[in-house]
Amino acid sequence: MYQVIARKYRPQTFQDVVNQEHVKTTLENAIVQNRIAHGYIFSGQRGTGKTTVARILARCLNCIQGPTTTPCGVCASCLEITAGGTVDVIEIDAASNRGINEMRELRENVRYQPARDRYKVFIVDEAHQITSEAFNALLKTIEEPPPWVVFVLCTTEAHKIPATIASRCQHFSFRSVDFEDLMTRMAWICQQENIEADPETLAVLAQAGEGSVRDSLSALDQAIACCGSKLNAAEVRALLGAFSLESLERVTAALRDGDSRRMLEVVDELERSGHNLQHFSRELSRYFRNLLVARIGGPEAGSARLIAASSAQRQKLAEIAAGFSEEDLTRYLQLSLDLFRDLQSSLQPRFHLEIGLVRLVQAGRLLPIEQALADLKNGGTAPRPARPSGGGAPPAPPAGPAAGQPQQQLHAHLSQKGLTHLADAVENSSVTIAGSDLQVVTAKSYKLYFDDKQFAEAVRAVFGRPLRIQVTIGAGEEPAAAMPPAAIQTDDATSRALANPEVRRFREVFGGEVRRVRNLKE
Ligand SMILES: Nc1ncnc2c1ncn2[C@@H]1O[C@H](COP(=O)(O)OP(=O)(O)OP(=O)(O)O)[C@@H](O)[C@H]1O
Ligand SMILES: [Mg+2]
Ligand SMILES: [Zn+2]
């Protein structure tokens, strides 16, 4: 009969347990020093070794050679514990035995000395499911335990264990298992099973487990059932509904280029190839999370502990992350998490995903407020931060002193294109960018030029995004003249505030109108 891999490869000694070094060392020391506690709580993510370590502890205590940190594995006690319990090592599944009667029974059982072994070990799985009366019944036993009793309460939800119980137990938290450790373990298991799997495939399986060894091994079982003894990454990905880094990179490429249309194409392809859109949004948020971590930590950040990916993948993530600011990535992560949440309950997942992805593009066009303020101080007109160009990216604004001065940039572009009439018009007008508006203040005679399609195209080419072109007839050089007249009473405080250069710049960049100026000293 086929035995699932997770069970077949349940570690039988501390040495085989992956990660959880702190747990292993402390328990080994306790065994060596003969300082065994009567109550333990093993808490942590599912499939990380709680039940496994509880059984190993039982073996260490009851092995005929014991107490020992290296149980023999062949004596009756060792063998029976591996097979699932002996008269003296009792596993209780609290999910189905959670009531007061079971605990009373247990309390009875505790009073008797072990039938054969040194200790009576009670391993209570899913301990958080025990009812509170049942916990009360258990409390008496844990308060004054007979010397031969050891309780191990295993739980994924330690906070649900009453404080009265918890305070009488030693508590160990099991960590989710590191990516590299999982990879090593799975590579070893594949070798034992004569399964061929390259590192990329193993990485897909390891990622599927999200830190749970059992879940990764179940994914491996599934892969073997489906693909036989030679696993290949693309097939395994398809099987698990996982997405390759390349498919997620299409999203970041579209973001970099501010290309909403490409986002819609991404969704279309996902739908057509029958991918689960919810799954995709989850992978996408994990992707942004990894990019953010890579961005914050720099190229060396990618320790496998922080980012569950192979070193080649981490390198790639760092490269992509470098093309975005920390703020952008934070915003993308937040938006993708919102998107994932929305998709959970959505009746129209496709529409939600489309909106979500287009929103990401729009969010990338926002100017971080910090930068806008810094630009105000410098007297700049705060154009959108230039994206590093690549692929089909629009031409970046020219570097050097001209960058950030829309008028000069436009003039250079138009002259180069031979559109001298427009170049002239630009030279004799004031051009500023405020948010998504390009404001032109010009003489009446030039106005027509700016309403022209050629000008709109030039703006698009120079700034890489569509800007609303607003043309005002005005004095020409003075940008502040572009502002609509302030429809407010012109008292002293107001005129002083409006004359303030920073306030003026602020209005240029963000637009809007000043409604009221209050003198706080009054
Ligand atoms: N730290 C680990 N090292 C090696 N294998 C592990 C580890 N943790 C889990 N496994 C594998 O996963 C299987 C399940 O582990 P175990 O039953 O100990 O998990 P658990 O933490 O008790 O999970 P749950 O909370 O779901 O009960 C084991 O049979 C073993 O194959
Ligand atoms: Mg368990
Ligand atoms: Zn033994």
Side-chain angles (χ1 to χ4, degrees), residues 210-243:
E210 294 180 43
S212 159
V213 187
R214 189 203 291 111
D215 290 359
S216 292
L217 295 182
S218 305
L220 176 59
D221 265 323
Q222 228 181 315
I224 295 171
C226 157
C227 316
S229 61
K230 195 159 183 234
L231 306 183
N232 119 357
E235 273 174 29
V236 171
R237 237 184 237 119
L239 173 72
L240 300 174
F243 295 87

Side-chain angles (χ1 to χ4, degrees), residues 303-332:
S303 111
R305 183 160 286 185
L306 290 176
I307 300 177
S310 68
S311 64
Q313 288 176 330
R314 293 200 305 270
Q315 182 62 38
K316 192 83 223 273
L317 283 166
E319 276 166 36
I320 294 172
F324 295 91
S325 68
E326 208 176 299
E327 292 82 4
D328 275 345
L329 291 172
T330 309
R331 231 175 312 154
Y332 297 151

Side-chain angles (χ1 to χ4, degrees), residues 59 62-66 68 70-79:
R59 280 175 138 213
N62 282 349
C63 174
I64 196 156
Q65 320 249 352
T68 169
T70 49
C72 74
V74 292
C75 72
S77 298
C78 282
L79 287 175

Side-chain angles (χ1 to χ4, degrees), residues 6-7 9-11 16-18 20 45-52 125-126 156 177 185 213-214 217:
R7 290 207 21 219
Y9 291 94
R10 189 191 281 281
D16 291 343
V17 174
V18 173
Q20 324 304 3
Q45 202 194 329
R46 60 183 200 280
T48 51
K50 300 179 294 294
T51 307
T52 303
D125 264 321
E126 316 288 334
T156 46
V177 173
R185 176 81 180 164
V213 187
R214 189 203 291 111
L217 295 182

Side-chain angles (χ1 to χ4, degrees), residues 12-57:
Q12 301 298 332
T13 60
F14 283 129
Q15 217 190 342
D16 291 343
V17 174
V18 173
N19 265 186
Q20 324 304 3
E21 300 305 328
H22 59 301
V23 180
K24 292 190 277 180
T25 321
T26 318
L27 288 177
E28 279 172 345
N29 286 341
I31 293 165
V32 170
Q33 295 164 14
N34 204 10
R35 297 168 74 100
I36 303 299
H38 290 291
Y40 290 100
I41 294 174
F42 290 176
S43 71
Q45 202 194 329
R46 60 183 200 280
T48 51
K50 300 179 294 294
T51 307
T52 303
V53 171
R55 286 194 190 166
I56 295 174
L57 176 65

